[in-house]
Structures are given as C-alpha cells and as structure tokens.
Amino acid sequence: MSIQEIGRGPSRATLSRVAEEASVSISTVSKVLNGRSGVSDATRARVEELLKDHRYNRRNSGQTVAPLVELVFQQIDGAWAVEIIQGVERVARENGMSVILTESGDRHSPAATWIDGVLQRRPAGVILILSDLSPSQKHQLRTRKIPFVLVDPTGDPAPDVPSIGSANWNGGYLATRHLVELGHRQIAMITGPEDIMCSTARLSGYRAALEGAGIPFRADYVTTGNFDYESGVARARELLELEDAPTAIFAGSDLQALGVYEAARSAGISIPDELSVVGYDDLKLASWAGPPLTTVRQPLTEMAEEATRLVLRLRTEEQVDNLRLDLATRLIVRGSTRPLS
Amino acid sequence: MSIQEIGRGPSRATLSRVAEEASVSISTVSKVLNGRSGVSDATRARVEELLKDHRYNRRNSGQTVAPLVELVFQQIDGAWAVEIIQGVERVARENGMSVILTESGDRHSPAATWIDGVLQRRPAGVILILSDLSPSQKHQLRTRKIPFVLVDPTGDPAPDVPSIGSANWNGGYLATRHLVELGHRQIAMITGPEDIMCSTARLSGYRAALEGAGIPFRADYVTTGNFDYESGVARARELLELEDAPTAIFAGSDLQALGVYEAARSAGISIPDELSVVGYDDLKLASWAGPPLTTVRQPLTEMAEEATRLVLRLRTEEQVDNLRLDLATRLIVRGSTRPLS
C-alpha cells in the first residue's frame, strides 16, 4: 500500500498528555487512535473524550492516508447501487484513488466493527449511501481527519454534516402534477419506508401537487412500500382492489413501478390504457420496461460524483462552503402515462 | 492501512544479485518490485526477467499484503455487475477483507497503469471479470505472489490460470431444447460478442440441441449482439422482419431478451402467444419482466463467491487442485415461452 503523508507526524506531546490524563500508556492511546483491539470500551471512550478535549483533530493530526475512497452501502443491491458505484469509481480514478466497497448491513449506522476497519484502512474519505453515522462514529472519523459525506441521508443531518441529495419534494410534485395535467383525479401513491427522508419529501410533493389542483387528499390512496419490486406488487394489488380504484399510481421508485406493472398485468389491467404509472429514479431498466416507464430522473451517478469530489475537497481544504447540495430532478415522460379517457 | 506479514522479509541477497546483474541500484530493483515510477521500460523489463530467473516468487518473497481483495471489471455496468460484487463482498467480509473495485476499461487486459496500482496496493488477491491478463501482467503478479482468478474468461485460459465459469454449453443446450420440446422449429439465436468464450459455448449448445432434434441449422437465424438491451432490440427487429420469421428467439442474455420484448411490442407481436423468448443469466429483472422471462440461470453470485474463496486459498496454500471450476446452469421456466400453436 502506498502511503502518503498529509502534514507532520502526530504530536507526541499531545499523546503523552492524553495518556497521562487517562492514566493509560501511550501505546493504549495509539491503539485507540488506530482502531486496534485490546482496549476496554470504557478506556476507549475516555481516551476518545480526551483526544476531543485536546482538539487532536485540529492542529496535531498528521496521520498517513491511503489513496482509497471508502463507499458504504447498507446493502449492495440492484441497479440503483451500480449507478452510485460508477460515479464514485470514475471520480476516484480521476484522482488516482481506488474505491473500497463495504456493506454495513444496517440502515441507520454501520456496525461497530466497521469503524475499526476504517481507522485501520485510513481512507482519504468515506461516502455513506442511504445511511447515517452515530455521534461517536462521526467523532472518531473527525478525530482522525477522515472526511465523510452522506448521500441521500436517512434522517435530516446536522448542518455541519456534508451531504448530497436530490430535489425529492420537487420530484414528487412533478410526477403528480403530470398525472393531474393528464386529467387524473384518482391518483394513488406507493411511498418508500417512512423513516427515510427522501421518501417523506416525495410524499410531501405529491400532497402539494394534489392540493394545488384542488384534489382532496385520500388516506386510502397512500400506502407504504419498501422501494422494492415485491412491495410494489403487493401494494398495487391492494390499491387496484379498492372499490374506487385509482386511475393512476405514482410508484415512488422504479422497482415499485415494475411491481405495479405485474399487479396490473395479472389483473388484466392495461398500462397505459386503463392505468397510468409513474416511477422514480430513472434506472436503466425504466426505459426497458414494456411500456417504457414515465419516471422522475434522479441523477444518481452525478450525485455519487459530487459526493466523491466533496469528500476529496474536505480532505485538503480548510474551509468548504456548501456542505449540502441537492441536485435537480426532472420528469421523463415515456409510454406508461396517458390522458384519462 | 493495517499491514500483515506473510513470511519473512524479502531477501536482500537476491535483490542485490539482481541489481548487480542488471547493472542498476538496489533502489531501482525495489522500485520495479513495488510498481513505482522512475524506471525506464527497458530497465523494468530487464529487472523483471532477472527476478523471474532468480525465482524471486518461490522462496524469497515476503512482501507485506493488505487485507484487500481487488475486483476488476472491464466496465461496471448493470445488474450483472451487482450480483458479482455481492458475492465477492460477502466472502471477503467473512475473511476480514475489504473489496477494492477497479474498472479496467478494456475487455482483453487492464491498462498498464492498473498493474502499477495493484503492485502498490498489494492486495491479498485479484479477481478479474470477463477479462484476461497479458503474459507480463501475469508474471508481475506471480513475482509478487499476488494470486489471481479469472471469472468467465474471455479466451481459453492456460491450464495454470485459475478460473471460475459456468456450464455455458449446457445452458445454450437447455434453452434450445426447451423451445424444441414446445414444438418450435424456427428458433433464432442472438449471441454475445464472438470473441468471448462463454458466448461461443452457448451458441455451440444451441447448435447441438437443434442437431439433436434433426432441425437444420440456418445461418440467417443466428445474429451477433453485444449482451446489451440495445443490440437485443436491433437484432430482434431484423429477425422479426425476415420473410420466414422465427417463432422463438433464444436471446443469449437477459438484457438482450428485454430488447426482444421491446422489438416485439413495437411490432405488435405478443409474447408468448406469437413469439417465445428465452434469456440467459437470470438477473433479478428477468422475473420482473412482463411476462416474466424464461431464462437460463447462471449463478453469478455463487461464481463470485467461489472465485473469492479460490483466490484466498491460493494465497496461503502451496498446492491447490481444481484451478478451474464451472458451476452448473439450469433452465428457469416462466411466462415468456409456450407451445407452438
């Protein structure tokens, strides 16, 4: 592994002061700094706290970094992940860096063992997809001057947490207004999980577009999916069995939209003649569907590129403005929507 | 980066003998070994040759390795890549390793700069997807004791090159025999690129199944695609415009099969009533198509897992039998095929 220095070596003076105040050896402080095992949780916490007090991250850090960008998925799944990976890989390569891929397995924050790995690998930066970090994980990364950026954060990140997203409210609004303009008034929505911010924002855009058109909101027309094909099938079946079934479904993701296609197909309902469908994401498979899917384009590859550029800037620049960036979304009209007849 | 030793340190005696014979400094030999710049191509080649003569790889190597598995794609594209990535990531994680992802950009062998990066990163092993290495790249990796495994090699690799594939001939045979058993006799095939071994094997299986059924081979029924959606659309349009159009198409990949769906849809031809279609791969999107696609299951994730296990065994074991392994393929019958009416 080629190692490059960023700044001077760590200040031994700081380390020995921390060791003294924590009543441990310098080697224990060093273990904590490098994410090594053999330190009790209580000692680790005390040392971390003292490192923070001594502002170890500000003036004294001069750890070596590896030419790696670490990309963390909750779960590496589907066409969605590939578009992200492509963007990160491209920008990393332009900057002479390689990409390390990690699956954290948890939506809200990666497992405790993950952070130890990161501290050992010393990447130039960490990009987290649809995830978040615990306060102590954030602190551990900051202490080692390992910058991180969230893409499509699950919650509403603190203002000092760098993040890249897209205009989700706007996307939900555009999708719904398109259906309204085609004459639909019975428009259902299958949302993503309720605890994911981007999903809430899309739902809010849907409601705003209905309200703007004077169409009353119906709670039975809004149903929660999991952004996947299976939940699209299940939720669409329920919607299509309503006595007063919708004439249009905004599916909240392309995979859910493909699930709506299947529910319609097996019920003998023709798209777009009897049911209009709008997806969200514009994955490649949206244009491969039959009929090709009208959807909201979320520029996933560009978001990943921006996130990688941002994390690399955070590594070298003292002051970075615009820690949060939302890229634009737009409606792509294809064959799955048509005027209500 | 946590570095772990495998064996003793490099033999300085060997390095100085090589330096002397090549009339260069030891530091130049070390630069070549570590893939650093600042050495002319001629010198690099001479030093590599001498390292080989001195069997540097056999007894004297004791380089450090990083807990990384390097995964190399020609191009990270589509659902196909994700299934591979998932398999490699899973086995790497079980072994305490992280995955480095590289896009080589060339089908036949990665760019020259790629190998320098590998030598610097010192991964525990390299897995190449649908690619091959040049003889000098193979030699460079062997010299550093960095094992490599090819998955779905483009050519027919030498017997000493470890590779994981799947039963492609068998897959082509199964797909075609299924159509024959449904009564089809006008069966076309859209192949993948002619220079990719797995594509040739599938075509060969198709021919064998036709022959077994006494159906004459027709050259105008075999057409070359690029394993992608676009070539599926284009080739299927040509086939469906033939005066004597086929009643069934074996698409050679799931993406090409989706292209056949689109060509049929835009020509007003119903699948499966007027045209039967078989894909190849069994990506997730195969079961999401309308109608769900009959296809040949190629266990991509399992292939990736096997490749990762093999590369990690090659790192530690002196003698590994079964350097080549082909996993089984099987036919998955869904809604896109039916008896000829």
Side-chain angles (χ1 to χ4, degrees), chain A residues 1-2 68 76-78 82 85-86 89 93 98-101 103 120-121 229 255 265 284 288 292, chain B residues 1-2 68 76-78 82 85-86 89 93 98-101 103 120-121 229 255 265 284 288 292:
Chain A
M1 176 58 57
S2 165
L68 299 172
I76 300 165
D77 202 5
V82 169
I85 291 171
Q86 287 175 323
E89 206 278 337
R93 183 151 37 99
S98 301
V99 178
I100 292 242
L101 208 62
E103 200 171 49
Q120 285 170 23
R121 289 189 285 275
Y229 173 83
L255 296 187
R265 208 183 59 85
K284 277 189 178 164
W288 299 339
Chain B
M1 177 57 58
S2 167
L68 299 172
I76 301 165
D77 204 5
V82 170
I85 291 171
Q86 286 175 323
E89 207 277 337
R93 183 151 39 97
S98 302
V99 178
I100 292 243
L101 207 62
E103 201 172 48
Q120 285 172 23
R121 289 188 284 275
Y229 173 82
L255 296 187
R265 208 183 60 84
K284 276 190 180 163
W288 298 340

Side-chain angles (χ1 to χ4, degrees), chain B:
Chain B
M1 177 57 58
S2 167
I3 297 290
Q4 46 188 119
E5 292 285 329
I6 50 162
R8 294 160 300 118
S11 156
R12 198 164 169 85
T14 304
L15 295 191
S16 49
R17 209 171 319 134
V18 168
E20 199 184 314
E21 291 179 30
S23 309
V24 297
S25 67
I26 290 187
S27 121
T28 299
V29 176
S30 163
K31 274 182 189 166
V32 172
L33 263 178
N34 295 300
R36 299 261 158 79
S37 56
V39 184
S40 74
D41 287 350
T43 303
R44 193 180 291 272
R46 199 161 70 243
V47 171
E48 289 284 358
E49 202 49 45
L50 285 163
L51 286 169
K52 189 177 172 183
D53 292 348
H54 284 281
R55 300 183 163 276
Y56 185 77
N57 51 330
R58 292 294 168 213
R59 274 180 291 274
N60 301 316
S61 110
Q63 299 297 318
T64 53
V65 301
L68 299 172
V69 172
E70 178 130 1
L71 176 60
V72 186
F73 283 92
Q74 173 209 340
Q75 211 183 347
I76 301 165
D77 204 5
W80 199 87
V82 170
E83 307 213 355
I84 302 269
I85 291 171
Q86 286 175 323
V88 174
E89 207 277 337
R90 190 174 311 157
V91 174
R93 183 151 39 97
E94 283 167 10
N95 287 277
M97 304 247 165
S98 302
V99 178
I100 292 243
L101 207 62
T102 319
E103 201 172 48
S104 70
D106 186 296
R107 180 186 301 155
H108 296 286
S109 65
T113 50
W114 170 82
I115 192 89
D116 291 340
V118 175
L119 300 184
Q120 285 172 23
R121 289 188 284 275
R122 298 206 166 281
V126 177
I127 297 168
L128 294 116
I129 312 299
L130 258 185
S131 186
D132 202 352
L133 292 168
S134 70
S136 84
Q137 287 170 338
K138 281 176 196 156
H139 172 59
Q140 283 179 289
L141 291 178
R142 285 184 175 136
T143 308
R144 278 73 172 187
K145 262 195 155 172
I146 299 175
F148 57 90
V149 171
L150 309 185
V151 174
D152 252 353
T154 47
D156 189 21
D160 64 335
V161 172
S163 71
I164 304 283
S166 65
N168 286 294
W169 181 88
N170 203 49
Y173 188 89
L174 291 173
T176 312
R177 198 185 57 183
H178 169 63
L179 293 167
V180 166
E181 286 174 353
L182 292 173
H184 292 276
R185 293 185 61 87
Q186 290 167 255
I187 303 169
M189 176 173 182
I190 305 174
T191 70
E194 282 163 3
D195 61 346
I196 294 186
M197 204 63 184
C198 63
S199 171
T200 310
R202 288 172 205 172
L203 173 60
S204 185
Y206 158 86
R207 292 190 69 148
L210 289 184
E211 202 171 321
I215 299 173
F217 174 78
R218 287 177 56 163
D220 62 338
Y221 272 4
V222 174
T223 171
T224 306
N226 198 25
F227 280 150
D228 60 357
Y229 173 82
E230 289 75 15
S231 61
V233 177
R235 296 295 85 76
R237 287 210 169 119
E238 293 159 11
L239 288 168
L240 295 174
E241 279 167 9
L242 288 176
E243 207 167 304
D244 199 17
T247 61
I249 298 179
F250 170 32
S253 80
D254 288 347
L255 296 187
Q256 284 181 171
L258 290 187
V260 175
Y261 274 48
E262 174 57 23
R265 208 183 60 84
S266 65
I269 294 169
S270 158
I271 297 171
D273 295 337
E274 297 166 276
L275 180 71
S276 284
V277 180
V278 182
Y280 200 106
D281 283 334
D282 195 28
L283 303 179
K284 276 190 180 163
L285 49 79
S287 58
W288 298 340
L293 180 66
T294 296
T295 190
V296 176
R297 175 156 175 73
Q298 172 169 225
L300 291 168
T301 301
E302 290 85 342
M303 286 160 65
E305 289 175 348
E306 283 300 334
T308 313
R309 279 186 208 108
L310 178 56
V311 89
L312 294 176
R313 279 178 62 205
L314 288 168
R315 180 181 151 235
T316 49
E317 293 176 24
E318 271 300 301
Q319 184 73 37
V320 173
D321 301 325
N322 299 321
L323 283 178
R324 296 180 67 165
L325 193 64
D326 277 350
L327 301 192
T329 49
R330 62 196 170 91
L331 184 74
I332 311 284
V333 178
R334 297 199 183 97
S336 65
T337 46
R338 50 158 288 177
L340 186 66
S341 50

